[in-house]
Coordinates of all heavy atoms in Angstrom, one line a residue:
S1 N -54.4 89.1 -33.2 CA -55.3 90.3 -33.2 C -56.5 89.8 -34.0 O -56.5 88.9 -34.8 CB -54.7 91.5 -33.7 OG -54.6 91.4 -35.1
A2 N -57.6 90.6 -33.9 CA -58.8 90.3 -34.5 C -58.6 90.4 -36.0 O -59.2 89.6 -36.9 CB -60.0 91.3 -34.1
I3 N -57.9 91.4 -36.5 CA -57.6 91.6 -37.9 C -56.8 90.4 -38.5 O -57.2 90.1 -39.6 CB -57.0 93.0 -38.2 CG1 -57.8 94.1 -37.8 CG2 -56.4 93.1 -39.6 CD1 -57.1 95.4 -37.8
A4 N -55.9 90.0 -37.8 CA -55.1 88.9 -38.3 C -56.0 87.6 -38.3 O -55.9 86.8 -39.3 CB -54.0 88.5 -37.3
A5 N -56.9 87.4 -37.4 CA -57.8 86.2 -37.3 C -58.8 86.3 -38.6 O -59.0 85.3 -39.3 CB -58.6 86.1 -36.1
I6 N -59.3 87.5 -38.9 CA -60.2 87.7 -40.0 C -59.4 87.4 -41.3 O -60.1 86.7 -42.2 CB -60.6 89.2 -40.1 CG1 -61.7 89.4 -39.0 CG2 -61.3 89.5 -41.4 CD1 -62.1 90.9 -38.7
A7 N -58.1 87.8 -41.4 CA -57.4 87.5 -42.7 C -57.1 85.9 -42.8 O -57.4 85.3 -43.8 CB -56.0 88.2 -42.6
V8 N -56.9 85.3 -41.7 CA -56.7 83.7 -41.7 C -58.0 83.1 -42.2 O -57.9 82.2 -43.1 CB -56.1 83.2 -40.4 CG1 -56.3 81.8 -40.3 CG2 -54.8 83.8 -40.1
Y9 N -59.1 83.5 -41.5 CA -60.3 82.8 -41.8 C -60.9 83.1 -43.2 O -61.6 82.3 -43.8 CB -61.3 83.0 -40.6 CG -61.0 82.1 -39.5 CD1 -60.4 82.8 -38.4 CD2 -61.1 80.8 -39.5 CE1 -60.0 82.0 -37.2 CE2 -60.6 79.9 -38.5 CZ -60.1 80.7 -37.3 OH -59.7 79.9 -36.3
S10 N -60.6 84.3 -43.6 CA -61.0 84.8 -45.0 C -60.4 83.9 -46.0 O -60.9 83.5 -47.0 CB -60.8 86.3 -45.3 OG -61.7 87.1 -44.4
K11 N -59.1 83.7 -45.8 CA -58.3 83.0 -46.8 C -58.8 81.3 -46.6 O -58.9 80.8 -47.7 CB -56.8 82.8 -46.3 CG -56.0 82.1 -47.3 CD -54.5 82.2 -47.0 CE -53.7 81.5 -47.9 NZ -52.2 81.6 -47.7
K12 N -59.2 80.8 -45.4 CA -59.7 79.5 -45.5 C -61.1 79.5 -46.2 O -61.4 78.4 -46.8 CB -59.8 79.0 -44.0 CG -58.6 78.7 -43.3 CD -58.8 78.2 -41.9 CE -57.4 77.9 -41.4 NZ -57.7 77.0 -40.1
L13 N -61.8 80.4 -46.0 CA -63.2 80.5 -46.6 C -63.0 80.6 -48.1 O -63.7 80.0 -48.8 CB -64.0 81.7 -46.0 CG -65.5 81.8 -46.3 CD1 -66.2 80.5 -45.9 CD2 -66.0 82.9 -45.7
A14 N -62.2 81.4 -48.6 CA -62.0 81.5 -50.1 C -61.4 80.1 -50.5 O -61.8 79.8 -51.7 CB -60.8 82.5 -50.3
T15 N -60.7 79.5 -49.9 CA -60.2 78.1 -50.3 C -61.4 77.2 -50.4 O -61.6 76.5 -51.5 CB -59.2 77.5 -49.3 OG1 -58.0 78.3 -49.2 CG2 -58.8 76.1 -49.8
R16 N -62.3 77.2 -49.5 CA -63.6 76.4 -49.5 C -64.4 76.8 -50.7 O -65.0 75.9 -51.4 CB -64.3 76.4 -48.2 CG -63.5 76.1 -46.9 CD -62.9 74.7 -47.1 NE -62.4 74.3 -45.8 CZ -61.2 74.5 -45.5 NH1 -60.3 75.3 -46.0 NH2 -60.8 73.9 -44.1
Y17 N -64.7 78.2 -51.0 CA -65.4 78.5 -52.0 C -64.9 78.1 -53.3 O -65.5 77.9 -54.3 CB -65.7 79.9 -52.0 CG -66.9 80.3 -51.1 CD1 -66.8 81.1 -50.0 CD2 -68.2 79.9 -51.5 CE1 -67.9 81.4 -49.1 CE2 -69.3 80.1 -50.7 CZ -69.2 80.8 -49.6 OH -70.3 81.1 -48.8
A18 N -63.5 78.2 -53.4 CA -62.9 77.8 -54.8 C -63.2 76.3 -55.0 O -63.3 75.9 -56.1 CB -61.3 77.9 -54.5
M19 N -63.2 75.5 -54.0 CA -63.5 74.1 -54.1 C -64.9 73.9 -54.5 O -65.2 73.1 -55.6 CB -63.3 73.3 -52.8 CG -61.9 73.2 -52.3 SD -61.8 72.6 -50.5 CE -62.7 71.0 -50.7
M20 N -65.9 74.6 -54.0 CA -67.2 74.6 -54.5 C -67.4 75.1 -55.9 O -68.1 74.5 -56.7 CB -68.2 75.3 -53.5 CG -68.3 74.9 -52.2 SD -68.8 73.1 -52.0 CE -67.3 72.4 -51.6
D21 N -66.7 76.2 -56.2 CA -66.7 76.8 -57.5 C -66.2 75.8 -58.7 O -66.9 75.5 -59.6 CB -65.9 78.0 -57.6 CG -66.4 79.0 -58.7 OD1 -67.5 79.5 -58.6 OD2 -65.5 79.2 -59.6
E22 N -65.2 75.0 -58.3 CA -64.5 74.1 -59.2 C -65.6 72.8 -59.4 O -65.9 72.4 -60.5 CB -63.2 73.4 -58.6 CG -62.6 72.4 -59.4 CD -62.2 72.8 -60.8 OE1 -61.9 74.0 -61.0 OE2 -62.1 71.9 -61.7
L23 N -66.2 72.3 -58.3 CA -67.2 71.4 -58.3 C -68.4 71.7 -59.3 O -68.7 70.8 -60.1 CB -67.7 71.0 -56.9 CG -68.6 69.8 -56.8 CD1 -67.8 68.6 -57.1 CD2 -69.1 69.8 -55.4
L24 N -68.8 72.9 -59.1 CA -69.9 73.3 -60.0 C -69.4 73.7 -61.4 O -70.3 74.0 -62.3 CB -70.6 74.6 -59.3 CG -71.3 74.3 -58.1 CD1 -71.6 75.6 -57.3 CD2 -72.5 73.5 -58.3
S25 N -68.2 73.7 -61.7 CA -67.7 74.2 -63.1 C -68.0 73.2 -64.2 O -67.9 73.5 -65.3 CB -66.2 74.5 -63.0 OG -65.5 73.2 -62.8
D26 N -68.4 71.9 -63.7 CA -68.8 71.0 -64.9 C -70.3 71.1 -65.5 O -70.7 70.5 -66.2 CB -68.6 69.6 -64.4 CG -69.6 69.2 -63.3 OD1 -70.4 69.9 -62.9 OD2 -69.4 68.0 -62.9
G27 N -71.0 72.3 -64.9 CA -72.3 72.5 -65.5 C -73.4 72.0 -64.6 O -74.6 72.1 -64.9
R28 N -73.0 71.1 -63.6 CA -74.1 70.5 -62.7 C -74.9 71.8 -62.0 O -74.2 72.6 -61.7 CB -73.5 69.7 -61.8 CG -72.7 70.3 -60.7 CD -72.2 69.3 -59.6 NE -71.0 68.6 -60.2 CZ -70.5 67.6 -59.6 NH1 -71.0 67.2 -58.4 NH2 -69.5 66.9 -60.2
P29 N -76.1 71.6 -61.8 CA -76.9 72.6 -61.2 C -76.7 72.7 -59.7 O -76.9 73.8 -59.1 CB -78.5 72.4 -61.6 CG -78.4 71.0 -62.0 CD -77.1 70.6 -62.4
Y30 N -76.5 71.5 -59.2 CA -76.4 71.4 -57.6 C -75.1 70.7 -57.3 O -74.5 70.0 -58.2 CB -77.7 70.8 -57.1 CG -78.9 71.4 -57.5 CD1 -79.7 70.9 -58.4 CD2 -79.2 72.7 -57.0 CE1 -80.9 71.5 -58.8 CE2 -80.3 73.4 -57.4 CZ -81.2 72.8 -58.3 OH -82.2 73.5 -58.7
L31 N -74.7 70.7 -56.1 CA -73.5 70.1 -55.7 C -73.4 68.7 -55.9 O -72.3 68.2 -56.3 CB -73.3 70.4 -54.2 CG -72.9 71.9 -53.8 CD1 -72.8 72.1 -52.4 CD2 -71.6 72.4 -54.4
T32 N -74.4 67.9 -55.7 CA -74.4 66.5 -56.0 C -74.8 66.1 -57.3 O -74.9 64.9 -57.6 CB -75.2 65.7 -54.9 OG1 -76.4 66.1 -55.0 CG2 -74.6 66.0 -53.5
G33 N -75.2 67.1 -58.2 CA -75.6 66.7 -59.6 C -76.9 67.4 -60.0 O -77.0 68.6 -59.8
Q34 N -77.7 66.6 -60.4 CA -79.1 67.2 -61.0 C -80.1 67.5 -59.9 O -81.0 68.3 -60.3 CB -79.6 66.3 -62.1 CG -78.6 66.1 -63.3 CD -78.4 67.3 -64.1 OE1 -79.3 68.2 -64.3 NE2 -77.1 67.7 -64.2
N35 N -80.0 66.8 -58.9 CA -81.1 67.1 -57.8 C -80.7 67.8 -56.6 O -79.5 67.6 -56.1 CB -81.5 65.7 -57.3 CG -82.1 64.7 -58.5 OD1 -82.9 65.2 -59.3 ND2 -81.6 63.6 -58.5
F36 N -81.6 68.6 -56.3 CA -81.4 69.6 -55.1 C -81.3 68.8 -53.8 O -82.1 67.9 -53.7 CB -82.5 70.7 -55.0 CG -82.3 71.6 -54.0 CD1 -81.4 72.7 -54.1 CD2 -83.0 71.6 -52.7 CE1 -81.4 73.6 -53.2 CE2 -82.8 72.4 -51.8 CZ -82.0 73.5 -52.0
A37 N -80.3 68.9 -52.9 CA -80.1 68.1 -51.7 C -79.9 69.1 -50.5 O -79.7 70.2 -50.7 CB -79.0 67.2 -52.0
T38 N -79.9 68.5 -49.4 CA -79.6 69.2 -48.2 C -78.3 69.9 -48.3 O -78.4 71.1 -47.7 CB -79.6 68.2 -47.0 OG1 -80.8 67.4 -46.9 CG2 -79.4 68.9 -45.7
V39 N -77.3 69.5 -48.8 CA -76.0 70.2 -48.9 C -76.1 71.4 -49.7 O -75.5 72.5 -49.4 CB -74.9 69.3 -49.5 CG1 -75.1 68.9 -50.9 CG2 -73.6 69.9 -49.2
D40 N -77.0 71.5 -50.6 CA -77.3 72.7 -51.5 C -78.0 73.8 -50.6 O -77.6 74.9 -50.8 CB -78.1 72.3 -52.7 CG -77.5 71.4 -53.5 OD1 -76.4 71.6 -54.1 OD2 -78.1 70.3 -53.8
A41 N -78.9 73.4 -49.8 CA -79.6 74.4 -49.0 C -78.6 74.9 -48.0 O -78.7 76.1 -47.6 CB -80.8 73.6 -48.1
Y42 N -77.8 74.1 -47.5 CA -76.6 74.5 -46.4 C -75.8 75.6 -47.2 O -75.5 76.6 -46.6 CB -76.0 73.3 -46.0 CG -74.8 73.8 -44.9 CD1 -75.4 74.1 -43.7 CD2 -73.6 73.7 -45.2 CE1 -74.5 74.5 -42.7 CE2 -72.6 74.0 -44.2 CZ -73.1 74.5 -42.9 OH -72.1 74.8 -42.0
L43 N -75.2 75.2 -48.4 CA -74.2 76.1 -49.0 C -75.0 77.4 -49.4 O -74.5 78.6 -49.2 CB -73.8 75.4 -50.4 CG -72.9 76.4 -51.3 CD1 -71.7 76.8 -50.4 CD2 -72.6 75.8 -52.5
F44 N -76.3 77.3 -49.9 CA -77.0 78.5 -50.1 C -77.1 79.5 -48.8 O -76.9 80.6 -48.9 CB -78.4 78.2 -50.6 CG -79.3 79.4 -50.9 CD1 -79.2 80.1 -52.0 CD2 -80.3 79.8 -49.9 CE1 -79.9 81.3 -52.3 CE2 -81.1 80.8 -50.3 CZ -80.9 81.6 -51.3
T45 N -77.5 78.9 -47.8 CA -77.6 79.6 -46.5 C -76.4 80.3 -46.1 O -76.3 81.5 -45.7 CB -78.2 78.7 -45.3 OG1 -79.4 78.2 -45.7 CG2 -78.3 79.5 -44.0
I46 N -75.3 79.4 -46.1 CA -73.9 80.0 -45.6 C -73.5 81.0 -46.5 O -72.9 82.1 -46.2 CB -73.0 78.9 -45.6 CG1 -73.3 77.8 -44.6 CG2 -71.5 79.4 -45.3 CD1 -73.4 78.4 -43.0
T47 N -73.7 80.8 -47.9 CA -73.3 81.9 -48.8 C -74.0 83.2 -48.7 O -73.5 84.3 -49.0 CB -73.3 81.3 -50.2 OG1 -72.5 80.1 -50.4 CG2 -72.9 82.3 -51.3
R48 N -75.3 83.1 -48.3 CA -76.0 84.4 -48.1 C -75.3 85.2 -47.0 O -75.7 86.4 -46.9 CB -77.6 84.1 -47.7 CG -78.3 83.7 -48.9 CD -79.9 83.4 -48.5 NE -80.4 84.5 -47.8 CZ -81.0 85.7 -48.3 NH1 -81.1 85.8 -49.6 NH2 -81.5 86.6 -47.6
W49 N -74.7 84.7 -46.1 CA -73.9 85.4 -45.0 C -72.8 86.2 -45.5 O -72.3 87.0 -44.9 CB -73.5 84.5 -43.9 CG -74.6 83.8 -43.2 CD1 -75.9 83.9 -43.3 CD2 -74.4 82.6 -42.4 NE1 -76.5 83.0 -42.5 CE2 -75.6 82.2 -42.0 CE3 -73.3 81.9 -41.9 CZ2 -76.0 81.2 -41.1 CZ3 -73.5 80.9 -41.2 CH2 -74.7 80.5 -40.6
A50 N -72.3 85.9 -46.8 CA -71.1 86.6 -47.3 C -71.3 88.0 -47.4 O -70.4 88.8 -47.0 CB -70.7 85.9 -48.7
Q51 N -72.4 88.5 -48.0 CA -72.6 90.0 -48.2 C -72.6 90.8 -46.8 O -71.8 91.7 -46.8 CB -73.9 90.2 -48.9 CG -74.0 91.7 -49.3 CD -75.2 92.0 -50.3 OE1 -76.1 91.1 -50.4 NE2 -75.3 93.2 -50.6
P52 N -73.3 90.5 -45.9 CA -73.3 91.2 -44.7 C -71.8 91.2 -44.0 O -71.5 92.0 -43.2 CB -74.3 90.7 -43.8 CG -74.9 89.5 -44.4 CD -74.3 89.4 -45.8
L53 N -71.1 90.0 -44.3 CA -69.7 90.0 -43.6 C -68.7 90.6 -44.6 O -67.6 90.5 -44.3 CB -69.4 88.4 -43.4 CG -70.3 87.9 -42.4 CD1 -70.0 86.3 -42.3 CD2 -70.1 88.4 -41.1
N54 N -69.2 91.1 -45.7 CA -68.3 91.8 -46.7 C -67.2 90.8 -47.3 O -66.0 91.2 -47.4 CB -67.5 93.1 -46.0 CG -68.5 94.1 -45.7 OD1 -69.4 94.4 -46.5 ND2 -68.3 94.7 -44.5
F55 N -67.6 89.6 -47.3 CA -66.8 88.6 -48.1 C -67.0 88.6 -49.6 O -68.2 88.4 -50.0 CB -67.0 87.2 -47.5 CG -66.0 86.2 -48.0 CD1 -64.8 86.0 -47.6 CD2 -66.4 85.3 -49.0 CE1 -63.9 85.1 -48.1 CE2 -65.6 84.4 -49.7 CZ -64.2 84.4 -49.1
D56 N -66.1 89.0 -50.4 CA -66.2 89.0 -51.9 C -66.3 87.7 -52.5 O -65.4 87.0 -52.5 CB -65.0 89.9 -52.4 CG -65.1 90.1 -53.9 OD1 -66.2 89.9 -54.4 OD2 -64.1 90.5 -54.4
L57 N -67.4 87.4 -53.1 CA -67.7 86.2 -53.8 C -67.5 86.4 -55.4 O -67.6 85.5 -56.1 CB -69.0 85.7 -53.6 CG -69.3 85.2 -52.2 CD1 -70.8 85.1 -52.1 CD2 -68.6 83.9 -52.0
S58 N -67.1 87.5 -55.8 CA -67.1 87.9 -57.2 C -66.1 86.9 -58.1 O -66.4 86.7 -59.3 CB -66.6 89.4 -57.6 OG -65.3 89.5 -57.0
K59 N -65.1 86.4 -57.5 CA -64.2 85.4 -58.2 C -64.8 84.0 -58.4 O -64.2 83.1 -59.0 CB -62.9 85.5 -57.8 CG -62.6 85.1 -56.4 CD -61.2 85.4 -55.9 CE -61.1 85.4 -54.5 NZ -59.7 86.0 -54.0
F60 N -65.9 83.8 -57.7 CA -66.5 82.4 -57.6 C -67.8 82.4 -58.5 O -68.9 82.3 -57.9 CB -66.8 82.0 -56.2 CG -65.6 82.1 -55.4 CD1 -65.6 83.0 -54.3 CD2 -64.5 81.2 -55.6 CE1 -64.5 83.2 -53.6 CE2 -63.4 81.4 -54.8 CZ -63.4 82.3 -53.8
S61 N -67.7 82.6 -59.8 CA -68.9 82.7 -60.8 C -69.9 81.6 -60.7 O -71.0 81.8 -60.8 CB -68.3 83.1 -62.1 OG -67.6 81.9 -62.6
N62 N -69.3 80.4 -60.6 CA -70.2 79.2 -60.4 C -70.9 79.2 -59.1 O -72.1 78.7 -59.2 CB -69.3 77.9 -60.6 CG -68.7 77.9 -61.9 OD1 -69.2 78.2 -63.0 ND2 -67.4 77.6 -62.0
V63 N -70.4 79.6 -58.1 CA -71.2 79.7 -56.8 C -72.2 80.8 -56.9 O -73.3 80.6 -56.4 CB -70.2 80.0 -55.6 CG1 -71.0 80.3 -54.4 CG2 -69.2 78.8 -55.4
L64 N -71.8 81.8 -57.5 CA -72.8 82.9 -57.7 C -74.0 82.5 -58.6 O -75.3 82.8 -58.3 CB -72.2 84.3 -58.3 CG -71.2 84.9 -57.4 CD1 -70.4 86.1 -58.1 CD2 -71.9 85.5 -56.1
A65 N -73.8 81.7 -59.7 CA -74.7 81.2 -60.6 C -75.6 80.2 -59.8 O -76.8 80.1 -59.9 CB -74.1 80.6 -61.8
F66 N -74.9 79.4 -58.8 CA -75.6 78.4 -58.1 C -76.7 79.3 -57.2 O -77.7 78.9 -56.9 CB -74.7 77.7 -57.2 CG -75.2 76.9 -56.0 CD1 -75.6 75.7 -56.3 CD2 -75.3 77.4 -54.8 CE1 -76.3 74.8 -55.2 CE2 -75.8 76.7 -53.8 CZ -76.3 75.4 -53.9
Q67 N -76.1 80.3 -56.5 CA -77.0 81.1 -55.7 C -78.3 81.6 -56.3 O -79.3 81.6 -55.8 CB -76.2 82.3 -55.0 CG -75.2 82.0 -53.9 CD -75.9 81.5 -52.7 OE1 -75.8 80.3 -52.5 NE2 -76.4 82.2 -51.9
K68 N -78.0 82.1 -57.5 CA -79.1 82.7 -58.4 C -80.1 81.6 -58.6 O -81.4 81.8 -58.5 CB -78.6 83.2 -59.6 CG -79.7 83.9 -60.5 CD -79.2 84.7 -61.6 CE -80.0 85.4 -62.4 NZ -81.4 85.0 -62.5
R69 N -79.6 80.4 -59.0 CA -80.5 79.3 -59.4 C -81.3 78.8 -58.1 O -82.5 78.6 -58.2 CB -79.6 78.1 -59.9 CG -80.2 77.0 -60.7 CD -79.2 76.2 -61.4 NE -78.0 75.9 -60.7 CZ -76.8 76.4 -61.3 NH1 -76.7 77.4 -62.2 NH2 -75.6 76.1 -60.6
V70 N -80.7 78.7 -57.0 CA -81.3 78.2 -55.8 C -82.3 79.3 -55.4 O -83.4 79.0 -54.9 CB -80.3 77.8 -54.7 CG1 -81.1 77.6 -53.5 CG2 -79.5 76.6 -55.1
S71 N -82.0 80.5 -55.5 CA -83.0 81.7 -55.0 C -84.1 81.6 -55.8 O -85.1 82.3 -55.4 CB -82.1 82.9 -55.0 OG -82.0 83.4 -56.3
E72 N -84.2 81.1 -57.0 CA -85.3 81.2 -57.9 C -86.3 80.0 -57.7 O -87.3 79.9 -58.1 CB -84.8 81.2 -59.2 CG -84.2 82.5 -59.6 CD -83.5 82.6 -61.1 OE1 -83.4 81.4 -61.8 OE2 -83.1 83.6 -61.4
R73 N -85.9 79.0 -56.8 CA -86.8 77.8 -56.4 C -87.9 78.4 -55.7 O -87.8 79.2 -54.7 CB -86.0 76.8 -55.7 CG -84.8 76.2 -56.4 CD -84.1 75.2 -55.6 NE -84.8 74.2 -55.0 CZ -85.1 72.9 -55.6 NH1 -84.7 72.7 -56.7 NH2 -86.0 72.1 -55.0
P74 N -89.1 78.0 -56.0 CA -90.3 78.5 -55.3 C -90.2 78.3 -53.7 O -90.7 79.3 -53.1 CB -91.4 77.8 -56.0 CG -91.0 77.5 -57.3 CD -89.5 77.2 -57.2
A75 N -89.9 77.1 -53.3 CA -89.8 76.9 -51.9 C -88.8 77.8 -51.2 O -89.1 78.2 -50.1 CB -89.5 75.4 -51.6
V76 N -87.7 78.1 -51.8 CA -86.7 79.0 -51.3 C -87.3 80.3 -51.2 O -87.1 81.0 -50.1 CB -85.4 78.9 -52.1 CG1 -84.3 79.9 -51.6 CG2 -84.8 77.5 -52.0
K77 N -87.8 80.9 -52.2 CA -88.5 82.2 -52.2 C -89.5 82.3 -51.1 O -89.6 83.3 -50.4 CB -89.2 82.6 -53.5 CG -88.3 82.9 -54.7 CD -89.2 83.2 -55.9 CE -88.3 83.6 -57.0 NZ -89.0 83.9 -58.2
A78 N -90.3 81.2 -50.9 CA -91.3 81.3 -50.0 C -90.7 81.3 -48.5 O -91.2 82.0 -47.5 CB -92.3 80.0 -50.1
A79 N -89.6 80.4 -48.3 CA -89.0 80.4 -47.0 C -88.3 81.7 -46.7 O -88.4 82.2 -45.5 CB -88.0 79.3 -47.0
L80 N -87.7 82.4 -47.6 CA -87.0 83.7 -47.4 C -88.1 84.8 -47.1 O -87.9 85.6 -46.2 CB -86.2 84.1 -48.7 CG -85.0 83.3 -48.9 CD1 -84.3 83.7 -50.2 CD2 -84.0 83.3 -47.7
E81 N -89.3 84.7 -47.9 CA -90.2 85.6 -47.6 C -90.9 85.5 -46.2 O -91.0 86.4 -45.4 CB -91.4 85.5 -48.6 CG -91.0 86.3 -49.9 CD -92.2 86.0 -51.1 OE1 -93.3 85.8 -50.7 OE2 -91.8 86.4 -52.2
A82 N -91.1 84.2 -45.7 CA -91.7 83.8 -44.4 C -90.8 84.4 -43.5 O -91.1 84.7 -42.2 CB -92.0 82.4 -44.3
E83 N -89.5 84.2 -43.6 CA -88.5 84.8 -42.6 C -88.3 86.3 -42.7 O -87.4 86.8 -41.9 CB -87.2 83.9 -42.7 CG -87.3 82.5 -42.4 CD -87.7 82.2 -40.9 OE1 -87.2 83.0 -40.1 OE2 -88.4 81.3 -40.6
G84 N -88.8 86.9 -43.6 CA -88.6 88.4 -43.7 C -87.2 88.7 -44.4 O -86.8 89.8 -44.2
L85 N -86.7 87.8 -45.0 CA -85.4 87.9 -45.7 C -85.5 88.2 -47.2 O -84.4 88.5 -47.8 CB -84.6 86.7 -45.5 CG -84.3 86.2 -44.1 CD1 -83.7 84.9 -44.1 CD2 -83.5 87.3 -43.4
L86 N -86.7 88.4 -47.7 CA -87.0 88.7 -49.1 C -88.2 89.5 -49.2 O -89.2 89.2 -48.5 CB -87.0 87.4 -49.9 CG -87.3 87.4 -51.3 CD1 -86.0 88.0 -52.1 CD2 -87.7 86.1 -51.9
K87 N -88.1 90.5 -49.9 CA -89.3 91.4 -50.1 C -90.3 90.7 -51.0 O -89.9 90.2 -52.0 CB -88.9 92.8 -50.7 CG -88.1 93.6 -49.8 CD -87.8 95.0 -50.5 CE -86.8 95.8 -49.6 NZ -86.5 97.0 -50.2
S88 N -91.5 90.8 -50.6 CA -92.7 90.2 -51.4 C -92.8 91.0 -52.8 O -92.6 92.2 -52.8 CB -93.9 90.1 -50.6 OG -93.9 89.5 -49.5
A89 N -93.1 90.2 -53.8 CA -93.3 90.8 -55.1 C -94.5 91.6 -55.1 O -95.4 91.5 -54.5 CB -93.3 89.8 -56.2

């Protein structure tokens, strides 16, 4: 059923987020270390989908801190504004 599939994939997604949260737990600002890379842009984009899908990220504090950090990058703000995904200040 659809409900069973959602449960299975939610569990898999939580496992992946736990891995990312653990990776970021050493204080690195980005997944590969000190420098922003393509993989960071990808994680940021995918993680933005969590809220509309009602996927709870609250137990992944390092991922949430990562999201905040990336969202504050000027180029990210500009891209989100250009796509209509962020209100202009």
